[in-house]
Amino acid sequence: MKYLELFTTIIDNLLLLYSILIMFAYTVLLFISAYSLRKYIRRNQSSDYEKLITSPFEPAISVIAPCYNEEASIVENINALLELHYNNYQVIIVNDGSKDYSLQKAIEAYEMEIVHYFIPQRLKTQSIKTVYKSTNKAYYNLILVDKENGGKADALNAGINVSDNELLVCIDVDSIVEPDSLLKLAKPFLEATDTKVIASGGVVHIANSCHIERGRLIKRNIPKKILPRIQVVEYARAFLIGRIAWSKLNGLLIISGALGMFDKDIVIKAGGYLASTVGEDMELVVRMRKYMFKNKIPHKVEYIPDPLLWTEVPSDLQTLGRQRNRWTRGTMDTLFIHRKMFFNPKYKALGLLGYPFWFFFEWMAPIVEILGLTYFIILAVIGSINWAFFLFLLAFIYFFSINFSFFSIFLLEVTFHQYKKAGQIFKLFLTSLIEPVLYHPMTVYWAIKGNISYFKGSKSWGSMTRSGFKESKK
């Protein structure tokens, strides 16, 4: 019995220590993020983005948008890309072997015809069948590429091969882009002096239930359905606290696959997107940074706090589960491929802080949770559970979680005031109260399934059912 008590004491202390460490880490990130947001807003209040549009130093940009079975919203989303506030850019839509009418709808809507186009094979991809350009001069900067299916990473690599410009923007075609997104993403590249900026990203918001017309966000609403609404809180934590803080620490591992700007030369030298992973966005950023460290080039990855993109998120459990399964596998792929970075001082903050954080608190956290739950169930069955400790730890984690979410919502509103009605903010606060109880256990379950799928060798992307913003137009 003494050995059992000693064992449970050790496990209890380890679980408590892990909980304190993860809470401490997130608290530090919260303060760094709050400081960075305050500094960013003050610095950018006087920024004149209109001068950047007419500047002779304005970098040329290629916007690459992979497309697979996006007929529900392909036309309106291309329209949004063509109306961005930037002078020197091209839009490259890459149809990755869609099985629906995505290609036909784009051709008809933008009066496109086949053209002969020289494509340098800088990155290996599935074969490109046809390149289209519009006969309408209003769409002079639009290119449509039709290729054999190879997945998102392969489609992005094909777009990079087709691109003409020095900066790349890789974006999900089913998303709504803010008109000044390119200006804000390009700004860090222009401001860089001694340290080279190799990538920049921005905050992604959720478009479910928003009023959308012709690919433009007309009115911001919080989602009517509870599942997308919970994801609003989740995204606020991830972007406004996590990624902003890691950008400040220069330990950022990821630029969202939904929207990111990259130095094309570094992307190509690093080898482009890796087609064999489902976490191509995270893996590319890490590989680009490894290339820079290997060549001893000071660099950074910037994250812009501004809301630059609105995307439709899954509104049903099945689709959301497939997405989170894929995210888990993508994270594991990146961590295992680049495992030599683990606590490696050669990679500075990325190796000593960023990578270990993702390893212990992003990948390992669901595993520790499920093992901890199993441990307490076993103790309950044999009648040896310390209920006082269990309830204290549960309450401690719950109140930390909701307070962290409250601060995320607070930062979201005091910085960019996305939702105009007080009732909407109140609903988000109420959502934060139920998220740890109803939603978090599901994310743990999906993460565990993702681990199992990864070790089984699954490489599937998983279909993402979308409404094409139809609901938001009502």
Side-chain angles (χ1 to χ4, degrees):
M1 185 61 68
K2 290 182 179 180
Y3 289 111
L4 178 61
E5 290 179 0
L6 178 62
F7 174 76
T8 56
T9 300
I10 292 172
I11 298 298
D12 288 351
N13 289 334
L14 286 175
L15 288 173
L16 182 61
L17 177 63
Y18 183 84
S19 301
I20 291 172
L21 284 174
I22 196 169
M23 291 177 192
F24 174 76
Y26 277 108
T27 301
V28 171
L29 292 178
L30 173 62
F31 281 106
I32 294 173
S33 179
Y35 169 78
S36 299
L37 282 166
R38 183 170 176 265
K39 185 177 178 181
Y40 176 85
I41 291 171
R42 283 187 171 184
R43 188 177 72 244
N44 284 273
Q45 280 178 342
S46 58
S47 293
D48 189 353
Y49 289 104
E50 295 301 321
K51 289 183 179 179
L52 182 57
I53 297 178
T54 58
S55 169
F57 302 106
E58 175 192 70
I61 297 172
S62 295
V63 178
I64 304 171
C67 162
Y68 180 75
N69 292 349
E70 302 286 354
E71 64 177 353
S73 59
I74 184 68
V75 174
E76 62 186 16
N77 284 295
I78 292 177
N79 181 68
L81 295 179
L82 291 171
E83 294 181 356
L84 294 176
H85 296 172
Y86 203 82
N87 185 46
N88 188 10
Y89 79 105
Q90 63 180 171
V91 176
I92 302 171
I93 306 298
V94 184
N95 179 53
D96 191 40
S98 295
K99 296 177 181 178
D100 62 0
Y101 291 99
S102 298
L103 180 66
Q104 292 85 340
K105 283 195 171 186
I107 291 172
E108 293 172 7
Y110 296 99
E111 306 167 40
M112 311 203 79
E113 65 177 9
I114 297 172
V115 295
H116 297 290
Y117 203 92
F118 173 71
I119 304 173
Q121 295 301 307
R122 292 169 288 206
L123 300 171
K124 186 179 179 181
T125 70
Q126 294 292 328
S127 62
I128 292 176
K129 296 188 287 187
T130 316
V131 176
Y132 297 86
K133 293 202 75 173
S134 179
T135 57
N136 187 332
K137 291 183 180 180
Y139 311 126
Y140 71 96
N141 59 336
L142 175 63
I143 298 173
L144 177 61
V145 179
D146 185 29
K147 63 179 286 292
E148 299 289 347
N149 180 262
K152 183 180 178 180
D154 190 79
L156 287 167
N157 285 338
I160 294 169
N161 285 340
V162 172
S163 67
D164 298 321
N165 300 324
E166 57 192 287
L167 292 180
L168 304 170
V169 169
C170 299
I171 186 171
D172 286 347
V173 74
D174 57 344
S175 301
I176 304 299
V177 193
E178 290 289 344
D180 58 358
S181 293
L182 298 188
L183 293 168
K184 292 179 177 178
L185 287 172
K187 192 166 180 280
F189 289 87
L190 294 174
E191 293 176 336
T193 52
D194 298 334
T195 302
K196 184 178 181 63
V197 173
I198 62 171
S200 64
V203 174
V204 176
H205 282 291
I206 291 172
N208 300 52
S209 299
C210 290
H211 182 192
I212 310 292
E213 289 183 6
R214 288 180 52 79
R216 280 279 173 256
L217 182 71
I218 306 301
K219 184 178 180 182
R220 300 171 177 86
N221 297 312
I222 64 168
K224 296 176 182 177
K225 295 182 178 179
I226 187 64
L227 200 56
R229 193 186 309 159
I230 289 175
Q231 291 173 75
V232 171
V233 179
E234 186 182 31
Y235 275 46
R237 288 197 306 263
F239 286 98
L240 280 182
I241 294 181
R243 296 183 189 180
I244 299 299
W246 282 116
S247 176
K248 182 68 176 178
L249 294 169
N250 204 21
L252 190 60
L253 277 77
I254 185 171
I255 291 290
S256 173
L259 178 68
M261 181 176 285
F262 303 91
D263 184 308
K264 184 170 78 171
D265 181 57
I266 303 302
V267 170
I268 292 172
K269 286 178 178 177
Y273 284 92
L274 186 63
S276 61
T277 181
V278 294
E280 73 291 326
D281 47 1
M282 182 180 185
E283 197 281 329
L284 175 64
V285 172
V286 175
R287 188 153 29 85
M288 289 174 69
R289 301 203 64 181
K290 284 184 73 174
Y291 170 85
M292 301 299 282
F293 280 115
K294 180 180 178 181
N295 291 278
K296 299 180 180 179
I297 305 172
H299 70 282
K300 57 184 176 180
V301 176
E302 291 279 6
Y303 228 90
I304 313 299
D306 290 88
L308 301 183
L309 178 136
W310 296 74
T311 188
E312 181 186 5
V313 297
S315 57
D316 64 275
L317 291 174
Q318 187 177 20
T319 305
L320 183 59
R322 286 196 296 264
Q323 182 196 66
R324 299 314 165 91
N325 183 303
R326 173 169 54 83
W327 284 6
T328 298
R329 288 183 283 122
T331 298
M332 293 172 69
D333 238 358
T334 301
L335 292 176
F336 294 165
I337 290 170
H338 302 288
R339 57 188 175 274
K340 289 185 179 179
M341 302 181 76
F342 193 41
F343 283 122
N344 190 335
K346 175 183 175 182
Y347 300 104
K348 300 183 179 179
L350 186 66
L352 296 175
L353 295 174
Y355 186 106
F357 178 89
W358 276 82
F359 185 91
F360 289 116
F361 300 145
E362 294 290 340
W363 173 48
M364 289 294 296
I367 298 173
V368 172
E369 281 192 57
I370 205 71
L371 290 176
L373 180 62
T374 304
Y375 162 73
F376 279 115
I377 290 173
I378 292 172
L379 290 184
V381 170
I382 64 176
S384 298
I385 192 169
N386 184 341
W387 284 106
F389 172 78
F390 174 71
L391 294 174
F392 166 76
L393 186 61
L394 200 63
F396 187 53
I397 293 172
Y398 174 77
F399 284 107
F400 176 85
S401 175
I402 62 173
N403 277 288
F404 197 72
S405 295
F406 284 174
F407 274 112
S408 302
I409 298 167
F410 174 74
L411 288 176
L412 178 67
E413 283 311 297
V414 298
T415 51
F416 301 107
H417 196 44
Q418 290 302 301
Y419 303 107
K420 306 301 181 184
K421 297 179 180 179
Q424 293 181 324
I425 305 305
F426 181 68
K427 285 182 179 180
L428 289 179
F429 281 125
L430 288 180
T431 302
S432 299
L433 295 175
I434 64 172
E435 184 214 358
V437 179
L438 298 181
Y439 180 73
H440 181 71
M442 292 187 290
T443 63
V444 172
Y445 169 71
W446 292 325
I448 297 301
K449 284 192 68 177
N451 275 265
I452 295 170
S453 298
Y454 179 85
F455 289 115
K456 283 183 176 181
S458 173
K459 297 290 183 181
S460 66
W461 184 268
S463 60
M464 296 290 113
T465 305
R466 301 183 188 274
S467 65
F469 303 119
K470 291 176 183 177
E471 186 179 38
S472 64
K473 294 178 182 179
K474 293 179 181 179

